[in-house]
Each structure stands twice: as structure tokens, then as C-alpha cells.
């Protein structure tokens, strides 16, 4: 039996290749994911180690509960420097120092980081060009900021200080931000230590790096430094511990990316398993006489079962090895493409970890063998008498009681879970319930696949049968004659189209909903706000009130509304408390806005729900200048309103919190003033304030649309692999089916069917299968897309991207036709006499 199995594999090399291709692609995607993330992780770890290797001991601030929002002060640095065994200790300053571009405005959406550049033995910053700053008027810029903002060594740049006033510096060098993701996003300006403290306003240090004296071990020095500092508020690490900690933190981010990519790999492997299952089913049907002959000459059922499993193991091993090579190429290719696009990626070799090799081989073999189990069991049922028949019997399908019962159970559970998720309050839990309901419903559709194929074949094939005549009618009959095979072939495509439709529906609905909310919460022409802050809570937020005065002085503008807010404790929790000044009328969904003076407050819906507050109730508001104040809730407004979560009157806010900058300024142009003129007026007023950013409603929508389009493009590209595998499944099924129907095709040719008609018949058969998969996928994707959107937010505006959905259907049909080209060509070239003589 072993020799027979291996001989059969050698005799059908093309069949072996087609069978293994689906698993190869699925394994390749999973292996490529690990290769990519392992390589990035390895590079980051090496760069962290190279940076921290210069440090023997690092002192970090530690707040209550292990947090680290604090700072180390000059006294801490002096204590460390006084420890026996310390050769050198330097404080590292980190804060925010907005760089002003050549247009006079602060660059980026967030302030550039301001850091101190340490020189000497503890220098961890890599200066790639020029030198480190040595004087108060010298700075270095990170390479990316210098490139994108068109700055070079020798240029003079301006940086906003803590007081909001710009200071001029000369660029003396460029540096690499390393693995610091925050600085990579915002850009960075490097100063001398004293200048960094002045410009960022930081009175302390984010870290103290320590070098040991000769003969002093890092562990010994760590204990000495910890003893000198004493008490809480400090975390002392050796250089190696710091490396491990930073690498672990980065590894958590990398694991998140890995899990996200592997989700698409799992989908691809599921589709590949269905293709393999269908392929082996057809092969068993084709080899019925061969297997029966083996039974006649003494092979047992167990040997036949083992023969099919052995074939699947060989296919799985070959596919997994090829998939591993494909995955290695995909990972290396992704790194090369990203590097060509200007991303700072590894210079070390591509990593292929033993774990990746083991997983690729295990997944490929297990999925292939698992998919072949049922067909192998079917092979044992071939009776020895079948060896005497001239051709195999056509398999018939009947929906049994067991299939019906299981389908009903899955369907009821799926619909029930989906309904429960839709009726639950919007949130992650509701979304997970709907996802579970979708998975159960899909299982029901999978079980009922052979039952629904016949009516769907008639529906999808109605027009081809009318237009294509005899080939069209034959194609419809062929698609219906073996519903189990057709269902298994199309379900792979159904998965891909379902997910594509689901994502498209969610994207279109989100776009429409957010656009409507923007209309409500952005009922103005322009919004002026300060460049955002990532982490520096001590930074002066917002824009000076003088900006609003300048805006009101512009004749092109009709109204200016100032919004101020800050975080405060309300009933023991942290909330945004603020106010507004200007011609704005809040619309109450509950209560009334009349009497909005003194110690009153209006809440948005989310804050009211969290605080369990309603009109007439009171809240305890902790304020820095007025102590704890009891405010009366008079109204609830919608979350889409451009107001702070808890809004209080302007006079009360000033009394309780003191004078503050404006968080946002909402501006409306006068009627009849064009967009260009009004934009120029707003920008002219904001020009004197470098950190003030001018946004229009069109720009905000454009940014949001770009984000959604990018997300859709990435997801579509990743799901495209699953669709490609499913189309290979259709091509594989047709190829094997052509071989199975050799005598049938020859008989049709003998009865007058021409070669073009035979090719057309097979193409239409593939078209119908592609349309069946697309139709089921569109229905499932649309239905569960609707259910998923109901769990995101309340008052969602459901939208179906009809054009995209029709495009999915058309492309699925077209792809099916393309998949049938080679099988159709092979069938039409077969000799009629030879095919009729085949047994």
C-alpha cells in the first residue's frame, strides 16, 4: 500500500501541485507574519541593547501602583553622584518643545519632543550627522523631521518655549530617535541638558543613567544607588534589566500586530482546508475503481484509510515546506518594500526562528490531514465490486434528518445570539456576541450548503441559460448535479466575500454616521485649536484668548465661540469640566437650558449615564480655587454637541478654575463670504500664534475618510489572499472534474457540441459557482454588517455600499470564469475517440 500510494503521487504530479497550492499560500501567510514580526522584534531588541549597553544602572521614577508619571529631581541626581562606585551620572530631560516650521506654524499635529543630548561615556543618542549640541544656542534634529521639514545642518530654527515664546537655535547635527515610538511620531529636538530644561519647562529628569567605576559590578551599584535614594518613588534597574524591560514592552506591541495579522492567516487556512477537503473528496470519487481493485486483491479498509491519510501527509509536508519558503519571501519582501518607502527597518538579516519552522510544518500537516479525514473515511466504503464497473456512480445527495437537526440548532443559536447582541447596549461585549452569532449562523449555512445550492444555481444560472443556449443549460445542470461538491467549492469563496462585504458595510455605515455627527458637532466653518499634547499634562493647553479677540475683529467672520475645559474630579471620578462663551445655544434632550447661571451644570449623555445623573440632581465638583462645589444638573445634551462632558456657566468656571486658555475656538464665516476669503481671514488672525491649528469641516472629513479608506484597503488586501485561495479551489475542482467527466465531455462532443461550446459550458459552470459564493457572501456580510454596526454607537445610520457589493459579485463571477480557462482548454483538446474508449 505504501508503494502504491507513493507511485500514485509520482504519477499525478500536476494533481499534487494543485492540491498543495492552497495550503502553501495559507502556511506562507502565517509563516510570513512570524518572519516579519520576529525580524522587527529582533532588530528592536538589538537596538535597545546597543543603546542601554552603555548604562550600568538606570534610575526611573515610579509613582503609586507601579505607575511612572513622576520626575526625578536635582537632589536625586546629587544623591546618585555621591554614591561610592559611581563614575558618572547624568539626568535625561524629556518634555515637549514645539518646532516651528518654515511657514511660521508649529510642525505636526503634536508638539515635537524636547530631549537632552548626553555626551561622553553615557551617550545613548546616535548622532548620524554633525555633532552633539555643546552650547545653549545649538540643537540637533531627528533625521525624519529634518528631511520632511526641509531643515539641514547650519540652518537656524525656532522652537516654542514653555512660555509660548519662540527662541532661535542653530542646527549642528542630526540624530536617530532609535526605538522611541513617541519621538518617531512627533519628531524631536535635542538640546544641552540645561537648555532642555528651560525649553521644556521640566524641573526634573525622566531618567538618571549611571556608569560604574572600574571593578564595580552593576548589581552591586544597583544596590548602593537604591540604598542612597531610599523610600518609594524610585525604580532602580541594571542596564541589562532595562534592556529586558524595554524589549518586553516592545514585544507586547509586536504581539498585538502579530495577533492581528494571524487572524487573516486563520481565515486563509480555513479556506485552504475547505479547498483540500473538496479536492480529496473528488479524488476519492475518481479513484473509486482503483480503491475497489485494491480491496479485491486483499487491501483492508484500514489500509485504504491509511493510504489516503498518507497521501494527505505527503501533500501537507510538501505544502508546508513550500509555504515556509513563501512565508520567508513574503516577510523579507515586506521589509524590503517598507525600507524602499523610507521606513527605518532592520539592517540585520531576516529572522527565521525555530518556532516559525515548527509551527508552519505543524499547521500545514495538521490542517491537510484534518481536511482529508472525512474523504479518507469515505474511501473505506468503496465496495470491491466497484472495480468491475466501467465508470463510477454519480453521487446523489439527500438532506438527512441529522443534517437538518444540526443546521436548525446552529441557525437558532446564531440568530438568537445575534439578536441578543443587537439589543444589548452598544459596546465591545455586544460586538463579541454578534460575532459569535455570526460564526454559529455561518456553521448553519455550511451545513445547509448542499440544500441551498440547487435553488441558487437556478437563480444564478437563469440568465446564462437564457443567453448561452445549450452550453448554458448544461452548465446549470452540472452545477446542480453534485450539490455537496458545489457547496464545498463555493463556501471557500463565500467566506472571503462575506468578510469583504462585512467590512465594506461597516466602513460605509461608520462613514455616514460620523459624517452626520460631524454635521451636528461641527456646525461651524472652522475650528481653531492648539497643537495637541501627548503626555505633558503640565503644558499650557489651548490657545490664548487674544486669538478670539483677533478673530472677532475680522469683518469676514460672523461668530466666534470660545470653549475652555480642564480635567476635574466629579463625584470622585475624573471628567472634563468646561464652559463656552459666544453665540452658541445648547439643545437639551432632557431638562432645560434656561437658568444656566451660577452653580448649575449641563451634562452630555455619556457623562450623565456614568454619573447616573438626571435633571434636578446635584454633583460634587472639586475645584482648585473654590474647593468642592455642589452644582445642580439642569439639562442633558447629546454627545455630538461641541461642548465639554460637564459644562458649567462661564462666570462659575472662571471663579472655580481661574483664567485659562481656550481649548477650541469655533468660527463661522459671514453669509456671502467665500471659503477662500474666510480661510485667509482665520489664518491671518492665527498667524501670530504658532501653535494654533486651523481646521475646516472639509479637512476633518477628509482626514477621517482617508483613515477609513486606508483601513479598507489594508483589510481588503489581506482578505484577498483568502479569495485567491478560494478561486484556486474552483480551478482545482474544475480541473479534477474535467478529468472525472472525460467520457461525458467526449460524448457531448460526439453529439455535436463544439470545442468553443464545451469551453463555454465549463466557464459558465465556474461563473455560476462564483456567483453562488458571492450571493451567499453578500447576504451574510450585509446582514451581519448591519448587526455589527448596531453594536458600535446609538442612532447609527446604516448604509450598504451598493456599488462595492455589485463589484464583489461581478468580480467573483469573472474570477470564476478565469479559473475555468485552463480546465476548459484541456477538456476541449481531448480526443473524442480516446476519451470514449477510456474506462
Amino acid at each position: 500500500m505504501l508503494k502504491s500510494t507513493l507511485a500514485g503521487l509520482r504519477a499525478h504530479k500536476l494533481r499534487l501541485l494543485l492540491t498543495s497550492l492552497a495550503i502553501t499560500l495559507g502556511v506562507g501567510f502565517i509563516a510570513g507574519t512570524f518572519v516579519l514580526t520576529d525580524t522587527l522584534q529582533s532588530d528592536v531588541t538589538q537596538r535597545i541593547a546597543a543603546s542601554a549597553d552603555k548604562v550600568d544602572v538606570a534610575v526611573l521614577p515610579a509613582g503609586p501602583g507601579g505607575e511612572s508619571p513622576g520626575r526625578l529631581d536635582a537632589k536625586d541626581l546629587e544623591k546618585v553622584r555621591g554614591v561610592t562606585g559611581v563614575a558618572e551620572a547624568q539626568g535625561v530631560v524629556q518634555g515637549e518643545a514645539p518646532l516651528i516650521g518654515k511657514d511660521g506654524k508649529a510642525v505636526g499635529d503634536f508638539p515635537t519632543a524636547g530631549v537632552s543630548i548626553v555626551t561622553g561615556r553615557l551617550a545613548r543618542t546616535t548622532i548620524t550627522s554633525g555633532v552633539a549640541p555643546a552650547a545653549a544656542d545649538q540643537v540637533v534634529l531627528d533625521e525624519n523631521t529634518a528631511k520632511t521639514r526641509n531643515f539641514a545642518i547650519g540652518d537656524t530654527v525656532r522652537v516654542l518655549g514653555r512660555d509660548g515664546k519662540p527662541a532661535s537655535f542653530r542646527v549642528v547635527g542630526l540624530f536617530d530617535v532609535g526605538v522611541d515610538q513617541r519621538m518617531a511620531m512627533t519628531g524631536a529636538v535635542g538640546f544641552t541638558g540645561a537648555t532642555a530644561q528651560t525649553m521644556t519647562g521640566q524641573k526634573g529628569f525622566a531618567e538618571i543613567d549611571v556608569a560604574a567605576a572600574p571593578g564595580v559590578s552593576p548589581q552591586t551599584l544597583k544596590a548602593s544607588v537604591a540604598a542612597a535614594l531610599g523610600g518609594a518613588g524610585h525604580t532602580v534597574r541594571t542596564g541589562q534589566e532595562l534592556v529586558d524591560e524595554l524589549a518586553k514592552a516592545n514585544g507586547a506591541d509586536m504581539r498585538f500586530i502579530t495577533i492581528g495579522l494571524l487572524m487573516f492567516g486563520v481565515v486563509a487556512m480555513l479556506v485552504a482546508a475547505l479547498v483540500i477537503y473538496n479536492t480529496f473528496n473528488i479524488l476519492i470519487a475518481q479513484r473509486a475503481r482503483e480503491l475497489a481493485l485494491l480491496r479485491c486483491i486483499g487491501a483492508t479498509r484500514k489500509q485504504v484509510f491509511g493510504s489516503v491519510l498518507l497521501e494527505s501527509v505527503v501533500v501537507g509536508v510538501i505544502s508546508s515546506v513550500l509555504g515556509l519558503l513563501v512565508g520567508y519571501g513574503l516577510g523579507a519582501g515586506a521589509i524590503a518594500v517598507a525600507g524602499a518607502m523610507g521606513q527605518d527597518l532592520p539592517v540585520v538579516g531576516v529572522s527565521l526562528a525555530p518556532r516559525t519552522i515548527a509551527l508552519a510544518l505543524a499547521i500545514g500537516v495538521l490542517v491537510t490531514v484534518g481536511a482529508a479525514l472525512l474523504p479518507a473515511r469515505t474511501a473505506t466504503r468503496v465496495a470491491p465490486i466497484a472495480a468491475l464497473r466501467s465508470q463510477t456512480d454519480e453521487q446523489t445527495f439527500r438532506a438527512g434528518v441529522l443534517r437538518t437537526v444540526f443546521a436548525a440548532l446552529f441557525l437558532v443559536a446564531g440568530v438568537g445570539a445575534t439578536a441578543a447582541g443587537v439589543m444589548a447596549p452598544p459596546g465591545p461585549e455586544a460586538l463579541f456576541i454578534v460575532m459569535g452569532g455570526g460564526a454559529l449562523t455561518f456553521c448553519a449555512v455550511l451545513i445547509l450548503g448542499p440544500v441551498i445550492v440547487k435553488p441558487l444555481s437556478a437563480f444564478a444560472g437563469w440568465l446564462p441559460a437564457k443567453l448561452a443556449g445549450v452550453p448554458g443549460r448544461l452548465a446549470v445542470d452540472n452545477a446542480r448535479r453534485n450539490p455537496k461538491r458545489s457547496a464545498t467549492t463555493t463556501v471557500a469563496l463565500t467566506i472571503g466575500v462575506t468578510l469583504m462585504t462585512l467590512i465594506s458595510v461597516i466602513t460605509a455605515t461608520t462613514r455616514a454616521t460620523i459624517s452626520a455627527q460631524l454635521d451636528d458637532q461641527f456646525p461651524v466653518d472652522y475650528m481653531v485649536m492648539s497643537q495637541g499634547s501627548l503626555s505633558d499634562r503640565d503644558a499650557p493647553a489651548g490657545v490664548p484668548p487674544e486669538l478670539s479677540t483677533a478673530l472677532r475683529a475680522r469683518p469676514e467672520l460672523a461668530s466666534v465661540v470660545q470653549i475652555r475645559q480642564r480635567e476635574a474630579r466629579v463625584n470622585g471620578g475624573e471628567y472634563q469640566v468646561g464652559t463656552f462663551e459666544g453665540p452658541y445655544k445648547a439643545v437639551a434632550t432632557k431638562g432645560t437650558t434656561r437658568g444656566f447661571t451660577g452653580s448649575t451644570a449641563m451634562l452630555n449623555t455619556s457623562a450623565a449615564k456614568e454619573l447616573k445623573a438626571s435633571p434636578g440632581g446635584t454633583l460634587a465638583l472639586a475645584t482648585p480655587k473654590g474647593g468642592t462645589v455642589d452644582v445642580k444638573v439642569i439639562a442633558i445634551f447629546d454627545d455630538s454637541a461641541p461642548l465639554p462632558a460637564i459644562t458649567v456657566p462661564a462666570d462659575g468656571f472662571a471663579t472655580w478654575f481661574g483664567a485659562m486658555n481656550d481649548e477650541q475656538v469655533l468660527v463661522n464665516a459671514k453669509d456671502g463670504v467665500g471659503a477662500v476669503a474666510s480661510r485667509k481671514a482665520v489664518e491671518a488672525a492665527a498667524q501670530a500664534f504658532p501653535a494654533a491649528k486651523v481646521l475646516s469641516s472639509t479637512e476633518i472629513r477628509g482626514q477621517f475618510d482617508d483613515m477609513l479608506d486606508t483601513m479598507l484597503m489594508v483589510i481588503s488586501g489581506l482578505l484577498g489572499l483568502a479569495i485567491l485561495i478560494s478561486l484556486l479551489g474552483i480551478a482545482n475542482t474544475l480541473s479534477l472534474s474535467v478529468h472525472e467527466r472525460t467520457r461525458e465531455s467526449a460524448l457531448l462532443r460526439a453529439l455535436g457540441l463544439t470545442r468553443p461550446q464545451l469551453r463555454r459550458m465549463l466557464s459558465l459552470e465556474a461563473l455560476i459557482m462564483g456567483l453562488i459564493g458571492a450571493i451567499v457572501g453578500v447576504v451574510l456580510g450585509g446582514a451581519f454588517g448591519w448587526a455589527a454596526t448596531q453594536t458600535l454607537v446609538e442612532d447609527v445610520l446604516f448604509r450598504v455600499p451598493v456599488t462595492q457589493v455589485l463589484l464583489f459579485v461581478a468580480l467573483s463571477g469573472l474570477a470564476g470564469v478565469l479559473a475555468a480557462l485552463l480546465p476548459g482548454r484541456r477538456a476541449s483538446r481531448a480526443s473524442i475517440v480516446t476519451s470514449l474508449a477510456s474506462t
Side-chain angles (χ1 to χ4, degrees):
M1 288 299 296
L2 176 61
K3 291 181 179 178
S4 173
T5 301
L6 296 178
L9 288 170
R10 287 194 299 269
H12 300 91
K13 296 183 180 67
L14 180 61
R15 184 180 73 188
L16 176 65
L17 177 63
L18 290 172
T19 306
S20 65
L21 193 54
I23 290 294
T24 297
L25 291 175
V27 171
F29 189 91
I30 291 177
T33 297
F34 281 116
V35 167
L36 175 63
T37 53
D38 285 348
T39 300
L40 295 178
Q41 178 64 36
S42 174
D43 172 68
V44 168
T45 302
Q46 288 188 30
R47 294 170 72 175
I48 289 173
S51 171
D53 185 53
K54 300 174 182 178
V55 177
D56 293 310
V57 169
V59 182
L60 305 171
E67 300 173 0
S68 52
R71 294 278 171 176
L72 302 165
D73 57 29
K75 293 181 180 179
D76 294 321
L77 180 58
E78 289 304 315
K79 287 181 182 178
V80 172
R81 285 175 172 169
V83 172
T84 303
V86 171
E88 184 181 350
Q90 295 288 347
V92 178
V93 179
Q94 290 183 358
E96 292 179 351
L99 174 68
I100 300 176
K102 294 189 175 182
D103 61 352
K105 305 296 288 184
V107 303
D109 293 326
F110 296 97
T112 48
V115 297
S116 61
I117 304 298
V118 176
T119 57
R121 178 178 170 182
L122 290 170
R124 292 171 57 183
T125 305
T126 303
I127 304 295
T128 56
S129 301
V131 295
D137 63 344
Q138 296 178 348
V139 295
V140 290
L141 301 179
D142 74 278
E143 294 175 300
N144 187 58
T145 298
K147 179 180 177 181
T148 55
R149 304 300 172 180
N150 199 26
F151 288 122
I153 295 175
D155 287 351
T156 298
V157 296
R158 293 191 302 155
V159 182
L160 288 178
R162 171 62 66 173
D163 56 3
K165 296 178 181 179
S168 297
F169 299 89
R170 184 167 61 88
V171 179
V172 295
L174 305 178
F175 71 98
D176 180 10
V177 297
V179 296
D180 192 313
Q181 297 179 357
R182 177 178 178 270
M183 285 199 289
M185 181 180 73
T186 64
V189 184
F191 309 89
T192 60
T195 307
Q197 286 188 315
T198 301
M199 295 302 295
T200 62
Q202 299 294 336
K203 296 182 174 62
F205 308 104
E207 181 179 328
I208 295 176
D209 293 338
V210 185
V216 180
S217 71
Q219 290 294 345
T220 302
L221 186 59
K222 171 187 174 182
S224 301
V225 169
L229 290 173
H234 308 91
T235 300
V236 184
R237 297 278 187 267
T238 64
Q240 186 56 51
E241 289 172 346
L242 182 63
V243 170
D244 295 339
E245 206 169 88
L246 293 174
K248 184 178 179 181
N250 183 78
D253 295 337
M254 206 61 70
R255 280 194 294 274
F256 180 78
I257 296 172
T258 304
I259 291 171
L261 290 174
L262 286 179
M263 289 176 62
F264 295 97
V266 169
V267 172
M269 289 304 299
L270 175 61
V271 173
L274 290 170
V275 170
I276 291 291
Y277 167 76
N278 202 39
T279 300
F280 272 97
N281 255 339
I282 298 172
L283 291 176
I284 296 305
Q286 289 179 356
R287 296 164 55 195
R289 294 186 68 224
E290 174 191 329
L291 296 173
L293 184 59
L294 290 173
R295 293 291 310 283
C296 282
I297 62 176
T300 64
R301 289 177 181 264
K302 186 176 180 180
Q303 286 177 314
V304 171
F305 183 82
S307 172
V308 177
L309 282 191
L310 176 60
E311 185 172 342
S312 69
V313 169
V314 173
V315 171
V317 170
I318 294 175
S319 304
S320 301
V321 172
L322 291 175
L324 186 61
L325 296 176
V326 169
Y328 186 84
L330 286 175
I335 292 171
V337 169
M341 295 174 65
Q343 298 296 320
D344 184 19
L345 287 178
V347 293
V348 296
V350 179
S351 297
L352 184 60
R355 175 206 59 191
T356 303
I357 298 173
L359 278 176
L361 294 175
I363 291 172
V365 172
L366 289 177
V367 169
T368 306
V369 173
L373 281 176
L374 286 178
R377 184 168 172 268
T378 303
T380 64
R381 297 178 179 177
V382 177
I385 193 67
L388 304 177
R389 297 171 185 164
S390 60
Q391 64 181 48
T392 58
D393 293 331
E394 184 73 37
Q395 291 185 353
T396 58
F397 171 79
R398 289 183 299 175
V401 175
L402 197 61
R403 180 183 294 270
T404 304
V405 170
F406 271 101
L409 289 175
F410 275 110
L411 188 61
V412 170
V415 172
T418 304
V422 169
M423 291 186 291
E429 291 182 1
L431 180 59
F432 287 137
I433 294 173
V434 167
M435 289 171 61
L440 292 171
T441 305
F442 188 83
C443 289
V445 173
L446 188 63
I447 296 171
L448 289 174
V451 178
I452 63 178
V453 156
K454 282 194 173 184
L456 285 177
S457 298
F459 174 75
W462 177 80
L463 188 59
K466 290 288 185 183
L467 298 179
V470 173
R473 292 194 293 273
L474 287 172
V476 174
D477 289 339
N478 285 336
R480 301 177 63 185
R481 65 196 286 184
N482 195 333
K484 193 172 181 180
R485 177 194 301 171
S486 297
T488 312
T489 302
T490 57
V491 76
L493 183 61
T494 298
I495 293 175
V497 175
T498 297
L499 293 174
M500 291 287 288
T501 305
L502 175 72
I503 297 300
S504 298
V505 167
I506 291 176
T507 302
T509 300
T510 304
R511 198 190 305 272
T513 303
I514 297 299
S515 181
Q517 289 179 351
L518 285 175
D519 287 338
D520 292 336
Q521 70 182 15
F522 208 127
V524 290
D525 297 315
Y526 302 99
M527 175 188 289
V528 185
M529 56 194 302
S530 177
Q531 187 184 55
S533 175
L534 284 179
S535 60
D536 194 350
R537 295 179 60 181
D538 295 329
V543 293
E546 291 81 7
L547 173 59
S548 297
T549 303
L551 288 168
R552 289 191 176 98
R554 302 293 304 193
E556 301 91 341
L557 307 178
S559 64
V560 176
V561 178
Q562 300 166 255
I563 296 176
R564 294 187 288 276
Q565 66 179 18
R566 64 163 292 169
E567 198 171 75
R569 295 192 68 81
V570 181
N571 285 6
E574 296 287 341
Y575 293 90
Q576 290 295 328
V577 179
T579 189
F580 68 93
E581 283 188 64
Y584 179 82
K585 281 192 174 182
V587 178
T589 57
K590 292 181 181 179
T592 178
T593 59
R594 290 195 298 268
F596 183 55
T597 58
S599 299
T600 59
M602 300 186 295
L603 279 64
N604 66 16
T605 305
S606 297
K609 187 180 295 185
E610 289 181 19
L611 289 166
K612 298 179 181 179
S614 57
T618 59
L619 301 174
L621 172 62
T623 70
K625 295 187 178 297
T628 300
V629 180
D630 290 330
V631 294
K632 181 180 179 182
V633 179
I634 63 169
I636 308 296
F637 58 85
D638 193 80
D639 287 343
S640 61
L643 296 177
I646 300 175
T647 303
V648 298
D651 53 353
F653 185 84
T655 301
W656 301 329
F657 296 98
M660 290 182 60
N661 287 342
D662 296 328
E663 181 82 11
Q664 299 174 353
V665 181
L666 308 182
V667 184
N668 264 325
K670 281 186 177 178
D671 293 338
V673 176
V676 175
S678 59
R679 177 68 185 241
K680 286 183 177 179
V682 176
E683 289 183 341
Q687 188 61 39
F689 306 92
K693 298 289 184 180
V694 179
L695 295 174
S696 68
S697 56
T698 303
E699 288 174 329
I700 290 181
R701 286 187 179 85
Q703 292 173 0
F704 181 75
D705 286 343
D706 288 345
M707 180 191 70
L708 286 180
D709 290 340
T710 301
M711 181 185 72
L712 182 62
M713 181 180 67
V714 171
I715 293 177
S716 299
L718 295 172
L719 289 178
L721 177 67
I723 294 179
L724 174 61
I725 294 174
S726 64
L727 293 176
L728 287 172
I730 292 178
N732 201 12
T733 300
L734 283 175
S735 296
L736 296 169
S737 181
V738 164
H739 175 72
E740 181 182 335
R741 299 189 322 225
T742 300
R743 298 184 75 248
E744 175 189 316
S745 299
L747 183 60
L748 290 173
R749 289 283 313 282
L751 292 175
L753 199 69
T754 65
R755 287 183 174 181
Q757 286 178 318
L758 181 61
R759 288 196 297 267
R760 195 177 308 140
M761 179 192 76
L762 292 172
S763 295
L764 290 174
E765 184 180 343
L767 169 66
I768 292 168
M769 285 196 291
L771 290 177
I772 290 173
I775 290 169
V776 177
V778 164
V779 172
L780 288 175
F784 286 97
W786 172 83
T789 56
Q790 303 307 304
T791 68
L792 300 178
V793 292
E794 294 180 350
D795 301 324
V796 70
L797 298 177
F798 180 67
R799 295 290 185 271
V800 176
V802 178
T803 304
Q804 286 185 7
V805 169
L806 292 177
L807 183 62
F808 293 155
V809 175
L811 289 178
S812 298
L814 177 62
V817 173
L818 294 176
L821 289 180
L822 287 179
R825 185 167 175 264
R826 178 186 173 191
S828 65
R829 289 189 169 189
S831 168
I832 297 176
V833 176
T834 304
S835 299
L836 285 173
S838 63
T839 59

